Amino acid sequence: NPKIIKMKLAIAALLFASASAFAPSARFAAPRTAMHMSTEAAEETKAFAKLPASVKPGVVTGKALTDLLDAAKDAGFAIPGVNIVGTNSINACMEAAAKYGGPIMVTFSKGGGQFIAGKSLSNDADSASIAGTIAGAKHVHEVAALYGVPVVLHTDHCQKAWLPWIDGLLAASEEFYKANGKPLFSSHMLDLSEEPLEENIGICKDYLEKFAKLDILLEFELGVTGGEEDGVDNSDVDSSRLYTQPEEVWYSYQQLSEVENGAFTCAASFGNVHGVYAPGNVDLQPVILHNSQAYIQEKLGCDEKKPMKFVFHGGSGSSTEDIKYAIEAGVIKMNIDTDTQWAFWDGVRGYEAKYHDYLQGQIGNPEGDDKPNKKYYDPRMSLRAGEEAMAARLVKAAEDLNCVDVLN
């Protein structure tokens, strides 16, 4: 029957077409699994060959920050954490990072924030400190990616009486998060080491609950960093308080680990002192950090040999041996202030010495009594010399911290 034959041919053609639609063809690659596609996407968008795909040039926050710090701990390098006082020192930090090929942590102190806003302003209710720190952070957000390196935006020592400063910055991060999906600051340090341990960690835990909602990391301090820096004076502290005990680190780890989405680092004191002192005057004991890691590992019963991320305060003037031994114990950041302050000044001093005869008046120099000196006394010239010297000192610091060429 011709009709039946026609119908069978039509059905056969339809089945062949349907099968062809689901068969691989030469024009298209074979289907890829979701895991394969996600791996390819990560490789395609990876900015730095040696770092996780989440880490991009510019300000690093949230998961990208914890990924960066984990990578530092695993690879055995620490990030320079540098106190700044204005755009000159901020830019010197990022310039240095671009030169040594690694991340940088730009660190605002309460006094540094006030200086950025202007020393002539009243600082009632920390208004100038808050405004200046926010202004500096926004500057970093605008230019950081241009330097092609990961930048961590951090704030330094905040003691109990200064918590309103952090509250003001936290409010700014909440607004920034609503508008941009990320916080204004990467991390904040709370230094409540003068309080009893339970109160110290209790307050830190309360703040970490707030930080976690905005993907901000907490740095907390145990023990006391000696010496004096930017309004924090521990020059006369009992020497026993300069050394943290492993039990204190474990207690803090337990408490803060209870915060959902919480991320934290620990500034455990091991004889650290702010400033630079003559050899023999500072007794660093980084073995305390090694002992603390072993203690936590035993308590957790885990294979991870460095469960805590440590930071190193009072790094200026420390020996290379102490620095590298501390990094082996899980130090992922070292604070630098005194050495970079000196470097900046030394750059300015050197500029003045080099062009001294051109800086004695607006007109008149060795080239002639009527020659103008404007290009020599332009503030940008001496400030640039300071930036270059500070950047050079930070490249040296990065070498000590194994932080050179860690991006690609």
Side-chain angles (χ1 to χ4, degrees):
N1 188 322
K3 286 186 178 180
I4 293 174
I5 292 171
K6 266 188 176 182
M7 187 178 294
K8 286 182 176 179
L9 288 172
I11 292 171
L14 181 62
L15 289 172
F16 178 79
S18 300
S20 298
F22 290 98
S25 73
R27 289 174 55 201
F28 300 98
R32 295 170 294 171
T33 65
M35 182 178 293
H36 186 196
M37 288 188 286
S38 65
T39 302
E40 281 189 349
E43 289 173 351
E44 288 171 4
T45 58
K46 200 168 184 182
F48 305 112
K50 296 180 181 178
L51 293 179
S54 60
V55 183
K56 310 288 186 187
V59 176
V60 178
T61 63
K63 184 179 185 300
L65 174 58
T66 55
D67 285 350
L68 172 61
L69 299 184
D70 285 336
K73 188 172 65 169
D74 293 341
F77 68 86
I79 302 169
V82 190
N83 285 72
I84 57 81
V85 294
T87 57
N88 295 111
S89 48
I90 289 172
N91 295 348
C93 288
M94 295 185 289
E95 177 181 349
K99 287 181 176 178
Y100 63 69
I104 188 76
M105 187 174 291
V106 173
T107 306
F108 295 83
S109 66
K110 182 171 174 285
Q114 181 184 6
F115 189 83
I116 291 171
K119 288 290 284 185
S120 66
L121 295 176
S122 165
N123 201 26
D124 289 346
D126 297 323
S127 57
S129 291
I130 292 168
T133 307
I134 291 169
K138 288 182 176 179
H139 168 78
V140 177
H141 274 277
E142 287 296 321
V143 303
L146 300 177
Y147 287 86
V149 297
V151 179
V152 182
L153 263 178
H154 182 61
T155 60
D156 207 6
H157 295 268
C158 176
Q159 53 200 20
K160 189 176 179 180
W162 293 356
L163 286 173
W165 173 52
I166 294 296
D167 293 337
L169 303 182
L170 194 56
S173 269
E174 288 173 350
E175 291 302 313
F176 198 84
Y177 196 97
K178 289 175 186 176
N180 302 282
K182 60 183 179 181
L184 182 60
F185 294 91
S186 309
S187 53
H188 295 298
M189 181 197 184
L190 300 186
D191 179 3
L192 304 169
S193 55
E194 294 183 358
E195 315 306 324
L197 178 63
E198 290 77 11
E199 183 179 358
N200 174 355
I201 301 306
I203 295 174
C204 284
K205 192 173 182 180
D206 289 342
Y207 271 86
L208 184 56
E209 295 276 3
K210 302 173 186 176
F211 291 178
K213 294 174 184 176
L214 299 172
D215 295 330
I216 296 174
L217 179 142
L218 165 73
E219 178 184 318
F220 67 99
E221 178 151 347
L222 296 175
V224 173
T225 302
E228 189 274 333
E229 180 184 59
D230 215 347
V232 179
D233 189 351
N234 292 321
S235 304
D236 300 321
V237 71
D238 187 292
S239 60
S240 65
R241 296 186 64 198
L242 300 179
Y243 302 95
T244 304
Q245 299 305 308
E247 293 82 0
E248 297 172 313
V249 182
W250 166 238
Y251 172 79
S252 307
Y253 183 94
Q254 280 182 298
Q255 291 296 310
L256 297 177
S257 293
E258 293 176 0
V259 177
E260 186 178 355
N261 196 43
F264 53 86
T265 60
C266 175
S269 298
F270 53 98
N272 319 60
V273 177
H274 288 134
V276 176
Y277 298 86
N281 285 5
V282 177
D283 182 22
L284 287 179
Q285 294 291 333
V287 69
I288 287 173
L289 305 183
H290 287 269
N291 293 342
S292 295
Q293 295 284 28
Y295 189 87
I296 296 173
Q297 182 187 17
E298 181 184 352
K299 289 292 186 181
L300 291 174
C302 65
D303 295 329
E304 170 60 67
K305 293 184 178 180
K306 295 182 283 188
M308 177 68 89
K309 297 183 188 75
F310 284 118
V311 299
F312 184 160
H313 279 246
S316 292
S318 300
S319 73
T320 304
E321 292 75 20
D322 280 338
I323 291 170
K324 293 191 182 298
Y325 190 49
I327 291 172
E328 290 173 11
V331 163
I332 46 79
K333 185 259 290 191
M334 185 178 82
N335 281 23
I336 307 168
D337 185 20
T338 306
D339 284 349
T340 46
Q341 285 181 340
W342 171 258
F344 196 100
W345 156 247
D346 201 37
V348 173
R349 181 202 57 74
Y351 178 84
E352 193 283 331
K354 183 176 181 180
Y355 296 107
H356 178 82
D357 292 341
Y358 294 81
L359 298 168
Q360 303 309 304
Q362 288 185 289
I363 303 292
N365 60 48
E367 297 174 23
D369 292 342
D370 61 345
K371 297 293 184 180
N373 294 317
K374 186 180 188 314
K375 67 179 181 180
Y376 298 101
Y377 63 75
D378 182 333
R380 289 172 294 185
M381 300 301 290
S382 58
L383 289 172
R384 178 59 186 151
E387 290 176 354
E388 290 174 330
M390 180 175 170
R393 179 63 185 85
L394 283 172
V395 170
K396 173 61 171 68
E399 293 170 357
D400 295 340
L401 295 170
N402 304 329
C403 197
V404 175
D405 294 329
V406 298
L407 303 180
N408 297 301

